[in-house]
Amino acid sequence: MAAERGARRLFSTSSLWLYCLLLLFGRPAPGAAAARSGSPPQSAGASIRTFTPFYFLVEPVDTLSVRGSSVILNCSAYSEPSPKIEWKKDGTFLNLVSDDRRQLLPDGSLFISNVVHSKHNKPDEGYYQCVATVDSLGTIVSRTAKLTVAGLPRFTSQPEPSSVYAGNSAILNCEVNADLVPFVRWEQNRQPLLLDDRVIKLPGGTLVISNVTEGDGGLYRCIIESGGPPKYSDEAELKVLPDPEETLSLVFLKQPSSLVRVIGQSTVLPCVASGLPAPAMRWMKNEETLDTEGSERLVLLAGGSLEISDITEDDAGTYFCIADNGNETIEAQAELTVQAQPEFLKQPANIYAHESMDIVFECEVTGKPTPTVKWVKNGDMVIPSDYFKIVKEHNLQVLGLVKSDEGFYQCIAENDVGNAQAGAQLIILEHDVAIPTLPPTSLTSATTDHLAPATTGPLPSAPRDVVASLVSTRFIKLTWRTPASDPHGDNLTYSVFYTKEGIARERVENTSRPGEMQVTIQNLMPATVYIFRVVAQNKHGFGESSAPLRVETQPEVQLPGPAPNIRAYATSPTSITVTWETPLSGNGEIQNYKLYYMEKGTDKEQDVDISSHSYTLNGLKKYTEYSFRVVAYNKHGPGVSTQDVAVRTLSDVPSAAPQNLSLEVRNSKSIVIHWQPPSPATQNGQITGYKIRYRKASRKSDVTETLVTGTQLSQLIEGLDRGTEYNFRVAALTVNGTGPATDWLSAETFESDLDETRVPEVPSSLHVRPLVTSIVVSWTPPENQNIVVRGYAIGYGIGSPHAQTIKVDYKQRYYTIENLDPSSHYVITLKAFNNVGEGIPLYESAVTRPHTVPDPTPMMPPVGVQASILSHDTIRITWADNSLPKHQKITDSRYYTVRWKTNIPANTKYKNANATTLSYLVTGLKPNTLYEFSVMVTKGRRSSTWSMTAHGTTFELVPTSPPKDVTVVSKEGKPRTIIVNWQPPSEANGKITGYIIYYSTDVNAEIHDWVIEPVVGNRLTHQIQELTLDTPYYFKIQARNSKGMGPMSEAVQFRTPKASGSSGKGSRLPDLGSDYKPPMSGSNSPHGSPTSPLDSNMLLVIIVSVGVITIVVVVIIAVFCTRRTTSHQKKKRAACKSVNGSHKYKGNSKDVKPPDLWIHHERLELKPIDKSPDPNPIMTDTPIPRNSQDITPVDNSMDSNIHQRRNSYRGHESEDSMSTLAGRRGMRPKMMMPFDSQPPQQSVRNTPSTDTMPASSSQTCCTDHQDPEGATSSSYLASSQEEDSGQSLPTAHVRPSHPLKSFAVPAIPPPGPPTYDPALPSTPLLSQQALNHHIHSVKTASIGTLGRSRPPMPVVVPSAPEVQETTRMLEDSESSYEPDELTKEMAHLEGLMKDLNAITTA
């Protein structure tokens, strides 16, 4: 007692957790291993018993023996003390004391000497079980082992004389009982036959010889040697025949048969075929070819048999043996079923408990077939009762424990393959001994309160006034008052003990919380007397018990409960067997049962009355799932129904042939065969493939066979003869075999390969015959028989032949159009077609006859049609059907037709598809296209009208075709400017947001070396200027939309005109490079307008006068500006730092907008007009050679014309309609001089023009060489942007000259006729030789819109150009103006001179 008090004190201290850890580590592991551990748990007192290790070391196994031999069945058990071993045979204990043939060996094994076995006396054959017992502890039993004794030697078949051709295979039968197979051997000519890779013995005893030679001939017999005298079979002679040098049909000598094997075993699927030539053997499993060469477990034996070693669950399936000798193919099949012995997923665990508790032993097993489970207590079968119940299929629940329930419990699992056992021990402790572990899961929630440890102190007295406040048929509610010893009772808990009257086994139910004084006892039996008592418990333990209370439950109508263990399994493709057991609560004699069953997917339940515990339903649908339930009936009526169990009937061969078989003659040697699967109701399983048979129509016996695996629905048959008629038929395959084939369908190959490079001609005639709801159409083929006709397309519709289209075979000459409306005018069209397309149609019209029978009532159309866009080519259509129930579940054979079309083009035909659900996925649509959808429902002959339409636009996709009709033309009057025109892509797949023009002088250059011109928007024309004259260019165009870039068009070549080209009227002057030389004769200016007959000498006088006046003006301005500050030099250096821009596309005017400069009329000051919105304006260099930039004289008198022309160009061209050459990748940035609105002043330097390069450092900012020619004039672009167009070498650094050299004043040309080279030089890509003149760097300036207010800017006079350059300017001016225009310009200059004089005087 001192030890017990110490343990209780330990539990009441804070070190309780440490004690629990000790218990946890000392507790044995679950299952059998727990029973073997032998580790005693940490006890709370000396009275706690530990679990005793008690288990089998060796268990008996199935054994095969022969008559007269000895057998040992092994068994050994471990326990302390040693157990007593006994044996059972067929469930009965063996008396080994008086048995002289059976002995118990010291380790517990059973020895049987001189096994007895005869036809009528088999005392040793049977099932053996080892039983181990330890007194005062319990008993355990081993697994059951089967002892089989081989029978008397008998032959079920014997070898027969046969002959075989050399090189073929031969078999000699010798079938014996399965238990005698290990004792069979063969002899040839009375000598033992040695087996090898060529000669094998099958598991049944049959001898197989492959690749027979002459030495294999002789007399064969098989011998059974099973311990007694050997038994010989009849002798049979095998004759080997020489090769007849002719073909023999293939035939199976031995076919595989379906087998059942256990995991881990080995098996052989026999398959031997004979024929000439000798066949090659191969195997397939479930549509897959087996690789016997690369597998260690799969071996192809002699003759073609397949050996499978170490079978796994994955090996189960249908195996096909295929023999093929090149002329013929035959096949056989067999099913391999794999079974598994029972295995424990969860073993029972040892349990401590108190009396009156409820416990559960858990046991989970697996196996194939599904194992059955039974429970054994101390070696005796546990019979289910009110207190011993099987719950959750395999678990054992014991209610209201009593002391006699102690012992060993074993879960025994068994199926057709074998059996296994696992056990656990139950120990029942006294109530004053606490259970030494935390509450295990095997204790029920109603008894866990017993686990609280007790301490010493006063115990409560008995609860008072225990009464049954509510009595029903199945439950009783008890209430009571607190004990007298504790009137408040807030900390008391209560346990209600109850039992049936006359039964010693008592159960307990606990209150759910302290202070609660009522409890409801459930699951009682009606009209039964129960005895109740209540015990209060405080922290010290249980108190006194109340006086027993006797209560009888109410009687009820005695209806049966549910039938337990209902099971259903398929026995054939059309039958299912259902079994069940007698209800535990039968409530009287069961009169009969009613079995309810229903096909899945239907709502019609059928029933059948049965008097036994099983029933087989026949005549069911093949490969169809059914649900079953059982209701028991007694004299009071039907009881409680069982839960539904579902099972599917077995699969079978298809019961119908494939549908819609059609043939398409491809050419003179091949035919394509098409078909559809059998209807779902006739497939009887999963379709695994199709078998195609075909033959020539003239030779009925010559049949060729082809296998098509999977769900393929067409096959190309090649290698046929020309002009020959063939018959075809197709059959569907399941794992069970081949279904019925279609009728023979014939097609004739072409005599010669006809022309199929064009569409067929029009059919020669078309006739129609109208009926009430149909029209019979007949026709004759086209007159030209040399063009392939693959079929005919019949179009028909009310008023239009495009509503419906039907295609028929090319051999067909008539067709009946069904399901038409009566009294309706139909237009019918007929077209012949082939793979190229459809030919010219023939038209006919007909009016159907009136209908006298009223149409069936139409159905309600679907509602709520919605289109959900999923991608660029897919839209999901959903709808609702008001004629369905609220849950919208389709239970009948109705179907829906979805139709859709797009309105572009307007005459687009409807497409339609059928669906059996309330949604449909429409695929294959065009991107960025608006479609309209509508739905109708059809049920039998009734159909609805079309629903309201739903609309949806598919998502955009990148263009899938390039721009088309790309043309390049030269702009009139501007030989260095071309205009590119094109049309949008035919497959734009979205809104075109722009184009990119690629051009290059080398068509084979990498695409990143081509120059690109972006075009914003959907314009279909673009101008490219500043191209090199007389140079071939190649152009490609690429369209883009919001999803990306489309493909490029093919390259289009264009050669720019030669220099002799003329400028159109009003065009700006063409660029003349610095290497341009004056013409030899002034009478034939290359730039003269052909429409201007003005004498060149008069023009020359006028232009020279203008030049003189302009020089005077510039000199005066320069003198005026010399008083300004010279700080402009600093500004010029700052500008040099900003010229290096990033590399971009040459875009619109927003991308590149250099500052504009203009001369104010009144103040004659240079003003900046525009600054680029980009702080780093971008100019790009290009590898395409150019001549020098355009030269346009800048004069105040031209302001109004410039302004007018600028606006007029803006009116019809976008910002980037004219742009200069820009590089896309790998281009060097070009320098551009930006201007601030208020540049610093700078002193004026006027350097005379010379042929040599002056060292004018004050006028150079970032220039390696000063440009002496001043050839960079301000150029005028008609659009709103101005970019560099000058010629430059692609050097590492290109620096601009003076920022205002754009306004260089042309000098007076020297007298004498000017001379020039008639041909302008062309510079090759990326290379240029040094010229006699200097390379021009780039300056940029533009003339902006007049009338803007800007701060004044001083005018800086740059170096004057040399005479040759000035002459070129004069020539350009001469070709730019008409005489009237020059007169107006002279008037403007006179006014300007007056203003200058006034300013100078002031």
Side-chain angles (χ1 to χ4, degrees), residues 1194-1352:
V1194 179
D1195 199 294
N1196 285 345
S1197 62
M1198 296 170 63
D1199 283 349
S1200 59
N1201 289 340
I1202 291 172
H1203 184 55
Q1204 182 178 357
R1205 293 172 191 165
R1206 183 185 185 102
N1207 290 339
S1208 65
Y1209 272 99
R1210 284 182 172 175
H1212 67 275
E1213 291 186 15
S1214 69
E1215 293 178 338
D1216 62 347
S1217 61
M1218 296 179 63
S1219 59
T1220 58
L1221 199 60
R1224 186 168 77 145
R1225 277 180 283 187
M1227 308 301 178
R1228 297 177 180 81
K1230 219 172 231 187
M1231 312 306 288
M1232 191 193 70
M1233 181 62 68
F1235 290 89
D1236 287 343
S1237 51
Q1238 290 184 352
Q1241 295 180 355
Q1242 183 185 356
S1243 59
V1244 178
R1245 294 179 62 93
N1246 191 354
T1247 306
S1249 174
T1250 61
D1251 288 340
T1252 59
M1253 188 187 313
S1256 181
S1257 60
S1258 62
Q1259 293 185 5
T1260 59
C1261 169
C1262 309
T1263 313
D1264 291 335
H1265 303 284
Q1266 176 66 27
D1267 185 355
E1269 299 180 4
T1272 314
S1273 302
S1274 106
S1275 56
Y1276 159 65
L1277 293 181
S1279 64
S1280 61
Q1281 72 177 20
E1282 179 76 14
E1283 295 187 4
D1284 166 50
S1285 59
Q1287 178 182 356
S1288 63
L1289 273 175
T1291 53
H1293 299 282
V1294 182
R1295 302 181 180 181
S1297 297
H1298 195 285
L1300 297 184
K1301 192 171 282 191
S1302 298
F1303 293 90
V1305 181
I1308 299 175
T1315 61
Y1316 76 109
D1317 258 346
L1320 291 170
S1322 174
T1323 308
L1325 282 174
L1326 297 175
S1327 65
Q1328 188 172 355
Q1329 297 299 324
L1331 304 176
N1332 293 331
H1333 38 66
H1334 302 285
I1335 303 304
H1336 295 109
S1337 52
V1338 179
K1339 272 70 70 176
T1340 302
S1342 62
I1343 302 177
T1345 308
L1346 300 179
R1348 296 185 186 177
S1349 174
R1350 289 286 191 277

Side-chain angles (χ1 to χ4, degrees), residues 264-275:
Q265 291 182 343
S266 297
T267 190
V268 173
L269 293 171
C271 185
V272 182
S274 173

Side-chain angles (χ1 to χ4, degrees), residues 559-564 580-588 590 592-593 613 630-633 639-640 642:
L559 295 176
W580 60 91
E581 297 176 5
T582 305
L584 299 178
S585 55
N587 297 328
I590 301 295
N592 71 303
Y593 299 89
H613 289 135
V630 173
V631 176
Y633 281 73
V640 181
T642 63

